[in-house]
Amino acid sequence: FTISKDLEPPGPLLESKQFKWKFGAVDKSCETYWGVHVRLRYFVRLTVVRSYASNVVKERDFVVQNLGIPPEVNNSIKMEVGIEDCLHIEFEYNQSKYHLKDVVVGKVYFLLVRIRIKHMELDIIRREISGAGSSQVTENETLTKFEIMDGIPGKTESIPVRLYLSGFDCGPTMKNVQNKFSVKYFLNLVLVDEEDRRYFKQQEIMLWRKKIG
């Protein structure tokens, strides 16, 4: 959307001059976002229209951040994943909705291990979905890979998980902004064996902003 104002009627401008202006009731319900295929910008553009030459145009961006509403319900996440007769694990995270400075706390339980695991990591993935129908584009970006285990776990062993979100380039979850795009976040638990085969399980989480900045 665009809102415009005329600051000066047509005529010569022969000296330096200051103009005061104000845009009231501007819809800023969506946060600034800079993604792979999508950019949501807020900016002020000044245009000096000249009849004798090309127009003079200057732009200045500003950032919009919106405080989220704390979720009334925030259930924990519990899931199982495995390969028949080879691997069976359970993992749980303390909640499914996090603010941007929050901490992901959880545990991974190994119930059956018959493959030689080299390490286990927890990834944060941002998924950007833009367009619609046959022209829809999905882009996955791994924001971090956090190793939580090194070596082969024993049966019935449990591995604690503690991941601080404040150190990563996360923003709020965005759903169907202007019917143009969405941004989702996932926790991706990855196990890598000694032959570099990867076993993973993704779980979507919701992120929201608790403080400005």
Side-chain angles (χ1 to χ4, degrees), residues 28-35 38-42 64-66 100 126-130 170-185 204-209:
K28 299 188 290 295
S29 59
C30 302
E31 287 214 358
T32 299
Y33 174 73
W34 195 285
V38 176
R39 295 176 185 174
L40 195 160
R41 297 173 60 204
Y42 292 89
V64 171
Q65 294 182 343
N66 294 320
L100 300 182
R126 176 164 54 210
R127 180 170 298 166
E128 177 186 287
I129 305 167
S130 57
C170 297
T173 297
M174 307 176 79
K175 296 183 178 180
N176 200 26
V177 177
Q178 302 293 321
N179 294 318
K180 298 294 184 182
F181 74 98
S182 298
V183 180
K184 301 180 179 181
Y185 291 87
E204 184 177 359
I205 58 174
M206 191 200 83
L207 299 183
W208 58 282
R209 187 178 299 282

Side-chain angles (χ1 to χ4, degrees), residues 30-82:
C30 302
E31 287 214 358
T32 299
Y33 174 73
W34 195 285
V36 179
H37 298 292
V38 176
R39 295 176 185 174
L40 195 160
R41 297 173 60 204
Y42 292 89
F43 59 92
V44 176
R45 176 188 294 148
L46 175 67
T47 304
V48 179
V49 180
R50 302 189 294 184
S51 59
Y52 59 91
S54 60
N55 296 341
V56 177
V57 180
K58 296 292 183 181
E59 292 181 355
R60 180 64 59 89
D61 282 78
F62 61 94
V63 174
V64 171
Q65 294 182 343
N66 294 320
L67 295 178
I69 300 174
E72 294 182 2
V73 178
N74 198 351
N75 297 322
S76 61
I77 300 172
K78 294 183 179 181
M79 299 188 70
E80 295 185 13
V81 63

Side-chain angles (χ1 to χ4, degrees), residues 121-125 186-190 200-203:
E121 65 186 38
L122 184 63
D123 305 341
I124 299 178
I125 296 176
F186 294 82
L187 294 176
N188 188 36
L189 185 68
V190 182
F200 64 90
K201 188 71 173 180
Q202 288 187 4
Q203 176 62 45

Side-chain angles (χ1 to χ4, degrees), residues 48-211:
V48 179
V49 180
R50 302 189 294 184
S51 59
Y52 59 91
S54 60
N55 296 341
V56 177
V57 180
K58 296 292 183 181
E59 292 181 355
R60 180 64 59 89
D61 282 78
F62 61 94
V63 174
V64 171
Q65 294 182 343
N66 294 320
L67 295 178
I69 300 174
E72 294 182 2
V73 178
N74 198 351
N75 297 322
S76 61
I77 300 172
K78 294 183 179 181
M79 299 188 70
E80 295 185 13
V81 63
I83 304 170
E84 187 175 0
D85 297 329
C86 292
L87 179 68
H88 184 195
I89 65 174
E90 294 179 352
F91 64 90
E92 63 179 58
Y93 305 117
N94 61 330
Q95 54 198 56
S96 55
K97 301 171 184 178
Y98 299 88
H99 62 76
L100 300 182
K101 306 296 184 182
D102 220 333
V103 184
V104 177
V105 177
K107 283 187 177 182
V108 180
Y109 302 92
F110 288 87
L111 305 179
L112 176 65
V113 183
R114 291 179 179 171
I115 57 177
R116 299 185 65 83
I117 295 175
K118 185 165 60 176
H119 70 267
M120 178 170 61
E121 65 186 38
L122 184 63
D123 305 341
I124 299 178
I125 296 176
R126 176 164 54 210
R127 180 170 298 166
E128 177 186 287
I129 305 167
S130 57
S134 59
S135 62
Q136 186 177 89
V137 177
T138 300
E139 187 74 31
N140 291 319
E141 182 181 2
T142 301
L143 303 182
T144 185
K145 293 184 177 182
F146 182 69
E147 187 171 303
I148 56 178
M149 186 193 72
D150 184 22
I152 302 173
K155 184 179 179 181
T156 71
E157 186 172 352
S158 65
I159 306 298
V161 175
R162 183 173 291 270
L163 178 62
Y164 292 84
L165 298 177
S166 59
F168 309 113
D169 183 25
C170 297
T173 297
M174 307 176 79
K175 296 183 178 180
N176 200 26
V177 177
Q178 302 293 321
N179 294 318
K180 298 294 184 182
F181 74 98
S182 298
V183 180
K184 301 180 179 181
Y185 291 87
F186 294 82
L187 294 176
N188 188 36
L189 185 68
V190 182
L191 287 87
V192 182
D193 68 14
E194 292 186 345
E195 297 180 9
D196 288 329
R197 291 177 297 195
R198 299 172 67 87
Y199 312 91
F200 64 90
K201 188 71 173 180
Q202 288 187 4
Q203 176 62 45
E204 184 177 359
I205 58 174
M206 191 200 83
L207 299 183
W208 58 282
R209 187 178 299 282
K210 185 177 181 180
K211 295 181 179 181

